[in-house]
Amino acid sequence: MASHKEPVAVIGLGRFGTALALELARGGTEVLAVDARPDIVQRLSGQLGHVVTADSTDPDALTEIGIADFNRVVVAIGNDLEASILTTALLTELKIRDIWAKAISRQQATILERIGAHHVVLPEQDMGERIAHLVAGRLLDWVELDPQWVFAKTRPPREIVGVPLGETGLRKKHRVTVVSVKPENKTSYTHADYDTVLSYGSVIVIAGRPDDVEHFVELQ
């Protein structure tokens, strides 16, 4: 598949790896999908352009499938700790520029980071935390960029309705910023600026530290 996006290799085609590979491909990224189980590879061969059977803990197998040609590789092996660690270590030895690795525990995440993973994700835990925020509060959505910075979608609290945003002192008072707004009865978002006036029916996207965002949302 021709694409202007940098190709990505995804190693491990469980639920997380499969969903990731399919979503990347759907978005126009060329994907090399790798798994040691022939039945899994066979099942996905009709859905992904490049799916191969290989043991990612074998350096010769990685060389054979050309993994060193990829700048970005995702190790989506979570449940097999040994395979996850060995694969990540081999990718580090190959000097892959951008290694993403899935972990199922904080301990595994720490090990993966120490042996060279540039990014570690805990999809089950991260999703659980996101859903908890949505269930517990008045949030419409919650996206964590990193542990210290989040975006949240919510309704505006009473104190900033009917007043130009620039006059609310929002950033100084609550340490959050309104970055986007969907006005009442509109179907799309637009930039929020100094003169933006919100109504109770508006939807806003705010950015800030998690504690500050949670406190702000509870003002409603």
Side-chain angles (χ1 to χ4, degrees):
M1 182 197 311
S3 172
H4 66 283
K5 299 180 180 180
E6 191 170 42
V8 175
V10 178
I11 300 174
L13 300 174
R15 283 185 297 176
F16 173 72
T18 296
L20 177 64
L22 290 172
E23 187 61 28
L24 285 168
R26 195 175 296 119
T29 297
E30 182 178 346
V31 178
L32 170 65
V34 183
D35 199 280
R37 298 163 293 181
D39 57 321
I40 299 294
V41 170
Q42 178 66 30
R43 179 168 57 82
L44 288 171
S45 61
Q47 301 179 64
L48 290 165
H50 306 286
V51 195
V52 299
T53 305
D55 177 2
S56 61
T57 66
D58 179 351
D60 292 335
L62 288 180
T63 298
E64 187 174 331
I65 64 174
I67 206 73
D69 296 332
F70 287 80
N71 288 321
R72 186 167 299 161
V73 179
V74 180
V75 181
I77 307 166
N79 295 323
D80 187 336
L81 179 61
E82 183 179 3
S84 170
I85 291 171
L86 285 173
T87 300
T88 303
L90 288 172
L91 295 174
T92 301
E93 289 179 10
L94 290 169
K95 295 181 169 55
I96 302 299
R97 190 185 70 198
D98 203 12
I99 302 170
W100 292 72
K102 174 193 173 185
I104 58 173
S105 69
R106 290 291 178 190
Q107 293 89 336
Q108 183 181 0
T110 299
I111 294 169
L112 292 170
E113 287 170 348
R114 285 177 178 171
I115 62 175
H118 304 101
H119 314 274
V120 177
V121 294
L122 292 96
E124 287 87 356
Q125 182 167 331
D126 292 344
M127 180 56 70
E129 290 173 353
R130 178 170 175 266
I131 296 301
H133 282 296
L134 304 185
V135 171
R138 298 173 181 270
L139 287 165
L140 303 175
D141 205 353
W142 173 280
V143 177
E144 184 177 294
L145 293 188
D146 64 41
Q148 297 301 320
W149 197 258
V150 300
F151 285 99
K153 183 165 68 174
T154 187
R155 301 282 183 184
R158 180 180 293 108
E159 70 175 67
I160 65 170
V161 168
V163 184
L165 277 175
E167 298 177 13
T168 61
L170 188 61
R171 189 178 300 180
K172 184 175 181 180
K173 186 175 180 181
H174 297 293
R175 296 179 296 281
V176 300
T177 303
V178 177
V179 295
S180 190
V181 58
K182 183 169 74 172
E184 189 172 6
N185 300 322
K186 299 291 184 179
T187 58
S188 59
Y189 286 85
T190 186
H191 293 292
D193 56 32
Y194 187 95
D195 297 319
T196 299
V197 177
L198 304 173
S199 67
Y200 288 111
S202 302
V203 176
I204 57 175
V205 177
I206 59 175
R209 295 170 65 87
D211 289 347
D212 294 330
V213 169
E214 289 176 347
H215 175 74
F216 176 76
V217 169
E218 292 305 315
L219 294 175
Q220 296 184 54

